[in-house]
Amino acid sequence: MTVLLDDANDWCAVQDELSAAGVNGPVFVSIGDEEKLRTFLEVNPGIPSDAMFVDDYTFGAYKAVGFKSFTEMEADVVKGVTLSAPNLSFRQWMGYFGNVVKVSPVPKGMKFGEIPEGTLRLGGTFVVKGDEVIYQWSDRLPGDHPDIQEVLDVAVSGKAQV
């Protein structure tokens, strides 16, 4: 849930445009549990609680749509990926550092030194029209997200780009 903050805020900023076009969403799914979700929503009041859900530590939703672990990605797939730091204010960065452990996808009972699988899971973005996926993006690295304007254009036009 921690890396999602900047992306979620960007999506919430285009909510009015989506609503005006008759688009329901966005809906966010991350990895965690009820406690982590509650903490995330408390520190991110601009994200509607009815638009945020968590997949548990079996990663059933992530696996069902074909999302992989960072460790499963091939080197040539991630070579050209350019990442930048999230566009957060100083206050948001301080909030991030103060809450990162509380909202990270680390199940209770993990032993020191173990790498939680949830921190290695990659996500993605979908636009769904009826029963049809008209846009799909699978992250290649943590923090690798599609251009919001591109996704918004597909969502508003309703024309497939899969």
Side-chain angles (χ1 to χ4, degrees):
M1 270 187 253
T2 53
V3 178
L4 182 63
L5 170 64
D6 190 42
D7 195 40
N9 284 328
D10 289 346
W11 273 109
C12 288
V14 298
Q15 180 63 54
D16 290 342
E17 189 174 346
L18 288 167
S19 294
V23 176
N24 294 323
V27 174
F28 305 103
V29 179
S30 191
I31 299 167
D33 54 43
E34 186 178 339
E35 180 182 335
K36 292 178 186 304
L37 175 60
R38 189 172 33 257
T39 301
F40 181 83
L41 292 170
E42 286 171 3
V43 297
N44 296 288
I47 300 171
S49 61
D50 63 348
M52 184 77 198
F53 302 92
V54 289
D55 190 10
D56 65 22
Y57 299 110
T58 63
F59 317 109
Y62 274 57
K63 290 176 182 177
V65 295
F67 292 154
K68 297 181 178 185
S69 169
F70 170 72
T71 60
E72 297 172 307
M73 296 303 293
E74 296 179 25
D76 61 324
V77 172
V78 299
K79 254 185 199 170
V81 178
T82 304
L83 300 177
S84 59
N87 185 22
L88 303 178
S89 68
F90 179 76
R91 183 176 182 195
Q92 287 173 316
W93 275 112
M94 291 299 100
Y96 171 84
F97 289 126
N99 289 291
V100 68
V101 173
K102 294 178 195 172
V103 297
S104 291
V106 179
K108 292 180 172 134
M110 288 282 308
K111 294 184 176 130
F112 182 76
E114 291 180 322
I115 298 173
E117 186 179 349
T119 63
L120 302 173
R121 284 276 154 193
L122 300 169
T125 304
F126 294 92
V127 176
V128 180
K129 181 179 181 182
D131 292 334
E132 180 186 2
V133 174
I134 61 171
Y135 179 91
Q136 178 178 349
W137 168 282
S138 294
D139 299 344
R140 298 162 291 180
L141 291 172
D144 175 37
H145 305 292
D147 177 70
I148 287 182
Q149 188 59 53
E150 177 184 323
V151 180
L152 184 62
D153 291 346
V154 172
V156 170
S157 74
K159 294 183 181 160
Q161 288 194 0
V162 176

